[in-house]
Amino acid sequence: EVQLVESGGGLVQPGSSLKVSCVASGFTFSTYVIHWFRQAPENGIEWLAYINTDRTWTHYAETVKGRFTISRDNAKNTVDMQLSSLRSEDTAMYFCARESPGMGFDHWGQGVMVTVSS
Amino acid sequence: DIVMTQGALPNPVPSGESASITCQSSKSLLHSNGKTYLNWYLQRPGQSPQLLIYWMSTRASGVSDRFSGSGSGTGFTLKISSVEAEDVGMYYCQQFLEYPLTFGAGTKLEIK
């Protein structure tokens, strides 16, 4: 069974950093592009970033470029995202998802909550 | 950025009736390869999004044939025939033509 499990969320102060992680199982992780999304409370879905299979290419939304860094470890079936210089508007549920090549996101994690507040 | 605009539903929709959700994109999502890069997702309350339709009209694996997608380059429709209680949630369209990937604001489906 394909599974994606996020972890690492919590309550942090503005300006601080946090790492969220996504551990995958049930499929050949190294052959899939992984993306991160977020959803603020009662809001829609925002795409944040992706990393390709061999870590040679990453791409970010302008809202997080320069503050968030995505990385992956194919030996550990993990994709991390380092969140820095956090702002109150970064408060959201963060999801990782597997891309079915060109076809959309066919598996999502359950999400991890990040709250930025003083 | 490509802006995705979704229409509303006349909620609540009576169980067993059909429901159609519209989505418009600010740019044609028709690629030169002939595919239209428009996806539909359902997010049930308290759950993660679930892929329903990709390439505008292809049902994802395991998705009921009560769901169908159609449209042109910039205007799209997700039709749910004979809505059921399990269809309740937020429906999102999403373009996969170019980055940044963008979603519509969502359309809520309630069942009577």
Side-chain angles (χ1 to χ4, degrees), chain B residues 4-8 21-24 40 91-93 103-107:
Chain B
M4 307 298 292
T5 304
Q6 291 185 230
I21 301 170
T22 60
C23 172
Q24 267 195 304
W40 287 98
Y91 289 80
Y92 295 95
C93 59
F103 290 77
T107 299

Side-chain angles (χ1 to χ4, degrees), chain B residues 41-85:
Chain B
Y41 299 84
L42 163 60
Q43 187 174 30
R44 296 186 175 97
Q47 294 188 18
S48 309
Q50 171 197 354
L51 179 65
L52 296 174
I53 302 284
Y54 61 92
W55 296 341
M56 188 176 70
S57 59
T58 303
R59 267 188 306 276
S61 176
V63 173
S64 168
D65 59 6
R66 295 186 297 104
F67 292 90
S68 62
S70 63
S72 61
T74 59
F76 313 98
T77 301
L78 174 71
K79 184 177 179 181
I80 313 166
S81 63
S82 189
V83 299
E84 301 176 357

Side-chain angles (χ1 to χ4, degrees), chain A residues 7-116:
Chain A
S7 63
L11 171 63
V12 296
Q13 293 196 332
S16 63
S17 298
L18 187 71
K19 184 176 79 172
V20 290
S21 298
C22 170
V23 178
S25 60
F27 64 99
T28 306
F29 177 75
S30 61
T31 64
Y32 284 86
V33 174
I34 302 294
H35 296 245
W36 281 96
F37 300 83
R38 69 184 177 187
Q39 188 171 32
E42 305 304 319
N43 264 19
I45 303 166
E46 180 186 11
W47 171 81
L48 297 177
Y50 84 82
I51 186 165
N52 71 347
T53 55
D54 63 1
R55 304 177 300 171
T56 55
W57 188 255
T58 58
H59 195 61
Y60 298 90
E62 285 299 319
T63 52
V64 303
K65 201 172 192 178
R67 298 191 301 125
F68 291 8
T69 303
I70 191 171
S71 61
R72 71 187 291 163
D73 183 337
N74 286 339
K76 295 182 179 178
N77 285 8
T78 300
V79 173
D80 295 330
M81 192 157 68
Q82 180 73 36
L83 286 55
S84 304
S85 303
L86 284 163
R87 309 162 180 165
S88 58
E89 55 264 37
D90 295 318
T91 294
M93 185 73 80
Y94 285 72
F95 297 94
C96 62
R98 183 183 88 165
E99 178 188 329
S100 190
M103 290 182 266
F105 303 100
D106 62 350
H107 289 277
W108 297 64
Q110 83 288 351
V112 63
M113 188 68 199
V114 173
T115 302
V116 184

